[in-house]
């Protein structure tokens, strides 16, 4: 039984082995086939062929990579390189069990054969199909081994923004590569607030006549910044025709993508006259850092190209470098693929086997079973090649995309800087900045000087008015009020006024002609809405707007404005009446509170000075009635600095100096205010400013079409029902005269520029308060219009030269009405303006009193200790007695106190002398008394 099972096992094993023989190789193959799909009859194809063969020879001679396995390249001629007909050529490569295909030459072909690569699971490696959309998830087996056009378009957008241009023209081939590249450019320009103003596509295989027609349309456009995105086969022809049309001269900016740098590199040295037609052109070249590998390969290139170029020399370009690195990257991926234990196997495609009656031979196509594994290995390659670091990011793009910006000058080209995805524009190579923090600020971006077309170093303006006979449609608000600003000359299409003359003067300062036509905006019955006029610019109905248009936040969100040419904010105008003088006008300068506080301080300071001077100054002594009169006289005489009493104490003088300074300020302010009240005619109004209007309920007028309505409702908070629209100054004047109680208005709100004209002949009205907005008038143009910038510069020049003021005086200067010298109720001086002075004075008084109190208390204590005898201390008086004693001491003249104290000290000294003499005498007698008995006792004993 065991023998039977053993035989079954052997049979099954042999069966599986024989079955798997078709599906799996038992060992690493000796040869691996890869395909290469290019047109080798072109300079492009010859460069690729030489680079691929050079890489294969080195790899097959180097056992450190792939061991004994050799790479075999199948060079398939892509003679059409343009889509459908290339399918048959790529199928021929696929039938030869290729594990990968290098190519194709164009993005158009890549879009087609990527579907085949997806079906057969064969990686498609390309360094020349640069269409950004090929990196989408739709084509997982398309692997780009260079940088897509997305990055060169980003570099171009940064370059355009660096020089301050806003509009560019896109000249391109209308195929997958051209359209998608220009779409990427448009997105990147939008990030910089720039745009493609005109697209100039041409067919993939254009005739000279078609190229000429497209370039003529470009010449008629407004922008002079032209981005050329074509292939290397059309590039030279495009510039030759542009030169013949006179489009390579001064004022133009030509920006060419990498196709031009490829032409220049592959045709080095340049043929005679090759660069004459592209002088001043800017082109972007894929940047590859200098390295030993690159130098070694470049030194071999001349030998490699011998015999391949019979007529013209073949220069080493970035194209050849990336072709070389692509082969090496594939070899490294295959090496990792085999070391992971993988084998190369193919199997039939079940989808193709369902095609009955297939005469195309599709049944010979096989699926590369391990295609996904090899694709993964390619994305994991990390090597250093002749192009630098070769490694993929998580987005399936190569790391460190960077370009060198070249300027065609003379018989060659010069570098003006670099662009990298890390550091942006710079004059330093990208590898020098990779170790530093990224600096994306505008100040950190620098480029070397450029020689522009026309052999000039002056930066081109970048735009002109389109030479197509179209005039700019300039909308002009046709108001029915204040014709001094804008008005249409009756019976004509011309306009006049302050705003119109400012615009004409600014246009005359521009270094170019501006074709325009004024178009009235309004119905002749009411003032038009300036906001609506501005909105029509965004729709294209107008190319600009000139007139009394206020620059507001809402409008700046829609269009661009020039520099304001006149300042004008909203003001309140109200009726006023004359205020006649009366017998009590002298009280008007101060408010009642100010009068009261000033009087209190006069009395307070007088009392303080009396306290400080009473004990030392005879002028402040005498009977109580006399002292009160003296204090009052002294206090109020300081108002006129005529006090006759002198101050002798230090503290009294300190207080008086500060008080006299306060009196000087108060007197000066009172005199100035009273002079104004008595000499200038005064006006009064119940309206005090915009604040009083907010809190009231009376109707308020505004000019029809003005932004004042929305501002009062949305910003100030006034109810819309209170607002009355007025069209003409006469309507406003009549409404103000009627007043709010007779069907009129209490106040009229409009811009100061209008109000100056309104009030020049209407003296019974005046401006109340200050401007409560800060606005200006400007000319409006579409977003990012270069005309707005140039006109702003012209307006500033007019302001500096005085022309703007002269135009203002011509149209707006009017003879003032007789009430020009009047004032609207001079504000009375209140305590708020002087409380600081009074605070200082009060503090000085209290400080002086505090110091004086300390001095008096010390003197009293000393005086009490001298007067009270020890024998009397036990019978000291009560607290009330001490208080009376203290007050009596304070009221007593200091000189008398000092004299009494001195006399007492003298008496005490005499008393102490008598006591000392008596003590000495008493002591002597006592000693004698003791000595006499001693002697008698002694004698007795004797």
């Amino acid at each position: 039984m065991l023998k039977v099972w053993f035989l079954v096992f052997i049979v099954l094993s042999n069966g599986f082995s024989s079955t798997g023989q078709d599906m799996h190789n038992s060992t690493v193959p000796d040869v691996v086939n890869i395909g290469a799909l290019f047109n080798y009859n072109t300079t492009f194809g010859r460069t690729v062929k030489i680079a691929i063969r050079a890489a294969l020879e080195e790899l097959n001679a180097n056992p450190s990579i792939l061991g004994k396995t050799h790479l075999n390249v199948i060079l398939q001629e892509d003679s059409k390189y343009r889509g459908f007909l290339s399918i048959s050529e790529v199928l021929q490569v696929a039938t030869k069990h290729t594990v990968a295909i290098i190519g194709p030459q164009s993005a158009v072909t890549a879009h087609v054969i990527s579907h085949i690569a997806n079906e057969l699971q064969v990686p498609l490696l390309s360094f020349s199909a640069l269409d950004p959309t090929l990196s989408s998830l739709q084509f997982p087996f398309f692997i780009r081994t260079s940088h897509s056009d997305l990055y060169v378009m980003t570099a171009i957008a940064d370059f355009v923004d660096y020089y301050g241009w806003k509009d560019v023209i896109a000249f391109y081939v209308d195929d997958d590569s051209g359209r998608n590249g220009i779409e990427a450019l448009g997105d990147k320009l939008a990030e910089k607030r720039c745009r493609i103003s005109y697209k100039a596509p041409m067919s993939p295989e254009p005739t000279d006549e078609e190229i000429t027609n497209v370039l003529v349309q470009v010449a008629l456009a407004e922008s002079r910044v032209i981005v050329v995105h074509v292939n290397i086969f059309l590039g030279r022809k495009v510039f030759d025709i542009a030169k013949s049309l006179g489009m390579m001269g001064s004022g133009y900016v030509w920006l060419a993508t990498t196709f031009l740098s490829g032409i220049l590199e592959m045709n080095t040295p340049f043929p005679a006259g090759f660069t004459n037609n592209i002088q001043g052109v800017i082109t972007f070249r894929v940047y590859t850092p200098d390295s030993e590998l690159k130098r070694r390969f470049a030194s071999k290139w001349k030998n490699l190209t011998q015999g391949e170029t019979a007529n013209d020399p073949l220069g080493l370009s970035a194209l050849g470098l990336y072709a070389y690195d692509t082969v090496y990257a594939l070899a490294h991926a295959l090496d990792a693929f085999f070391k992971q234990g993988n084998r190369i196997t193919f199997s039939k495609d079940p989808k193709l086997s369902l095609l009955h009656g297939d005469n195309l031979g599709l049944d010979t196509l096989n699926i590369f079973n391990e295609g996904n594994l090899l694709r993964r290995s390619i994305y994991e390659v990390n090597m250093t090649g002749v192009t630098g670091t070769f490694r993929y990011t998580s987005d399936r793009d190569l790391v460190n995309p960077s370009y060198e910006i070249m300027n065609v000058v003379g018989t060659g080209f010069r570098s003006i800087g670099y662009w990298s995805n890390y550091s942006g524009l710079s004059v330093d190579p990208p590898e020098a900045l990779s170790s530093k923090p990224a600096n994306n600020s505008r100040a950190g971006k620098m480029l070397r000087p450029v020689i522009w077309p026309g052999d000039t170093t002056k930066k081109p303006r970048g735009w002109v008015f389109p030479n197509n006979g179209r005039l700019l449609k300039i909308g002009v608000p046709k108001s029915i009020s204040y014709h001094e600003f804008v008005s249409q000359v009756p019976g004509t299409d011309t306009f006049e006024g302050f705003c119109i003359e400012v615009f004409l003067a600014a246009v005359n300062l521009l270094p170019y002609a501006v074709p325009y036509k004024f178009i009235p905006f309004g119905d002749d019955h009411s003032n038009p809405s300036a906001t609506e006029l501005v909105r029509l610019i965004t729709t294209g109905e107008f190319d600009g707007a000139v007139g009394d248009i206020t620059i507001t936040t809402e409008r700046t969100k829609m269009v661009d404005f020039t520099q304001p040419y006149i300042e004008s904010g909203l003001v309140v105008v109200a009726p006023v009446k004359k205020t006649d003088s009366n017998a009590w006008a002298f009280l008007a300068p101060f408010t009642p509170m100010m009068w009261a506080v000033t009087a209190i301080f006069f009395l307070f300071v007088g009392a303080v000075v009396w306290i400080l001077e009473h004990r030392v100054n005879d002028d402040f002594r005498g009977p109580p009635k006399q002292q009160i009169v003296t204090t009052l006289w002294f206090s109020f005489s300081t108002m006129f600095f005529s006090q006759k009493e002198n101050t002798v104490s230090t503290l009294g003088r300190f207080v008086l100096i500060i008080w006299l300074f306060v009196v000087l300020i108060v007197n000066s302010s009172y005199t100035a205010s009273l002079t104004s009240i008595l000499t200038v005619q005064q006006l009064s109004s119940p309206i005090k400013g915009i604040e009083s209007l907010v809190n009231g309920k009376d109707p308020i007028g505004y000019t029809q079409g003005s932004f004042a309505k929305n501002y009062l409702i949305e910003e100030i908070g006034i109810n819309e029902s209170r607002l009355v629209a007025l069209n003409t100054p006469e309507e406003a004047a009549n409404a103000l005269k009627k007043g709010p109680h007779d069907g009129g208005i209490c106040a009229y709100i409009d811009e100061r520029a209008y109000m100056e004209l309104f009030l020049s002949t209407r003296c019974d009205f005046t401006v109340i308060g200050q401007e409560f907005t800060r606005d200006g008038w400007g000319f409006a143009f579409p977003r990012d219009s270069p005309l707005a910038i140039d006109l702003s510069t012209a307006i500033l020049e007019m302001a500096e030269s005085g022309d703007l003021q002269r135009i203002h005086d011509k149209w707006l200067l009017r003879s003032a009405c007789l009430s020009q010298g009047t004032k609207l109720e001079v504000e009375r001086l209140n305590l708020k303006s002087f409380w600081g002075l009074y605070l200082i004075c009060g503090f000085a008084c209290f400080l002086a009193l505090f110091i004086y109190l300390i001095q008096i208390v010390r003197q009293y204590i000393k005086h009490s200790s001298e007067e009270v005898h020890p024998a009397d201390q036990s019978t000291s008086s009560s607290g009330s007695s001490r208080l009376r004693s203290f007050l009596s001491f304070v009221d007593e003249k200091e000189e008398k106190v000092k004299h009494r104290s001195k006399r007492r000290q003298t008496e005490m000294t005499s008393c102490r002398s008598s006591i000392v003499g008596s003590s000495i005498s008493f002591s002597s007698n006592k000693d004698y008394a003791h000595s006499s008995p001693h002697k008698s006792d002694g004698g007795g004993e004797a």
Side-chain angles (χ1 to χ4, degrees), residues 20 132 143 239 263 273 288 311 362 508 668 695 788 823 866 874 914:
I143 301 174
F239 285 110
I263 295 175
T288 54
N311 299 321
L362 297 179
N508 290 334
S668 300
N695 299 325
K823 282 191 176 183
E866 291 176 352
S874 58
S914 300

Side-chain angles (χ1 to χ4, degrees), residues 392-639:
Y392 286 94
T393 66
S394 58
D395 296 328
R396 300 191 303 168
D397 289 328
L398 286 178
V399 298
N400 305 329
S402 54
Y403 296 88
E404 188 172 9
I405 307 173
M406 314 301 294
N407 182 203
V408 180
V409 180
T411 59
F413 51 84
R414 52 188 284 268
S415 173
I416 62 170
Y418 303 88
W419 178 91
S420 72
N421 197 39
Y422 174 74
S423 57
L425 298 174
S426 173
V427 294
D428 298 319
E431 65 268 19
L433 301 174
S434 60
S435 60
K436 301 178 181 178
N439 183 6
N440 293 319
S441 65
R442 189 174 185 86
K445 297 180 179 180
M446 292 182 60
L447 293 175
R448 300 184 185 92
V450 178
I451 307 297
W452 303 102
D455 195 25
T456 177
T457 57
K458 182 180 179 181
K459 187 198 82 170
R461 188 170 66 247
W463 71 282
V464 294
F465 280 99
N467 188 21
N468 54 11
R470 190 180 75 87
L471 301 177
L472 291 180
K473 296 178 293 183
I474 304 297
V476 180
K478 196 175 180 181
S479 303
I480 63 174
S481 60
Y482 304 112
H483 292 161
E484 292 85 352
F485 294 102
V486 177
S487 65
Q488 187 173 9
V489 179
T492 68
D493 293 333
T494 60
F495 287 81
E496 63 180 4
F498 169 71
C499 302
I500 299 298
E501 188 163 340
V502 171
F503 175 76
L504 296 178
V507 167
N508 290 334
L509 291 177
L510 299 180
Y512 49 85
V514 180
Y516 62 88
K517 179 182 180 181
F518 288 137
I519 300 176
F521 176 73
D523 57 8
D524 292 328
H525 301 296
S526 60
N527 292 319
S529 170
T531 302
E532 179 62 19
L533 173 59
V534 167
R535 189 191 65 80
L536 292 177
I537 297 177
T538 64
T539 64
E541 184 168 340
F542 293 113
D543 298 311
V546 172
D548 46 348
I549 304 173
T550 305
I551 304 173
T552 64
T553 303
E554 179 185 5
R555 296 169 186 172
T556 54
K557 293 178 180 178
M558 296 186 284
V559 298
D560 282 349
F561 282 92
T562 63
Q563 172 78 16
Y565 57 88
I566 187 173
E567 298 295 331
S568 182
L570 292 178
V571 294
V572 177
V573 171
V576 292
K577 60 180 180 179
K578 296 180 181 179
T579 302
D580 297 328
S581 182
N582 54 56
W584 302 101
F586 68 91
L587 295 177
F590 288 165
T591 61
M593 178 62 71
M594 181 66 184
W595 279 117
V597 172
T598 302
I600 291 172
F601 260 84
F602 270 106
L603 298 176
F604 175 66
V605 171
V608 170
V609 172
W610 178 83
I611 292 173
L612 299 176
E613 294 288 324
H614 178 67
R615 300 185 71 242
V616 297
N617 192 341
D618 290 337
D619 290 340
F620 291 89
R621 298 189 65 81
K625 182 178 179 180
Q626 179 182 346
Q627 293 184 47
I628 293 174
V629 172
T630 299
T631 300
L632 293 176
W633 169 255
F634 175 82
S635 297
F636 290 103
S637 63
T638 56
M639 179 182 296

Side-chain angles (χ1 to χ4, degrees), residues 481-482 484 573-576 683 728-737 748 754-767 814-820 822:
S481 60
Y482 304 112
E484 292 85 352
V573 171
V576 292
L683 302 176
T728 64
E730 290 73 21
E731 287 185 23
N734 292 334
L736 285 171
K737 289 178 181 178
Y748 179 38
Y754 297 133
M755 292 298 97
E756 289 176 356
L757 288 177
F758 179 80
L759 297 174
S760 62
T761 56
R762 297 175 176 87
C763 300
D764 46 351
F765 310 118
T766 191
V767 174
R814 295 287 183 271
S815 57
C817 65
L818 297 178
S819 63
Q820 191 68 25
T822 62

Side-chain angles (χ1 to χ4, degrees), residues 52-93:
I52 290 176
R53 282 182 172 176
L56 285 174
E57 289 177 3
E58 293 179 7
L59 285 167
N60 291 334
N62 182 7
S64 63
I65 303 176
L66 288 176
K68 296 180 180 181
T69 300
H70 281 216
L71 290 178
N72 177 45
V73 61
I74 301 171
L75 299 174
Q76 179 64 42
E77 178 72 20
D78 182 13
S79 58
K80 306 301 178 184
Y81 59 87
R82 203 159 284 289
F84 176 75
L85 295 179
S86 297
I87 295 177
S88 62
E89 294 165 347
V90 75
L91 291 177
Q92 294 180 41
V93 177

Side-chain angles (χ1 to χ4, degrees), residues 684-703:
S684 64
S685 172
I687 306 299
K688 303 303 179 183
I690 188 64
E691 295 81 7
S692 60
L693 292 179
V694 174
N695 299 325
K697 296 182 179 180
D698 295 329
I700 303 168
Y702 70 94
T703 301

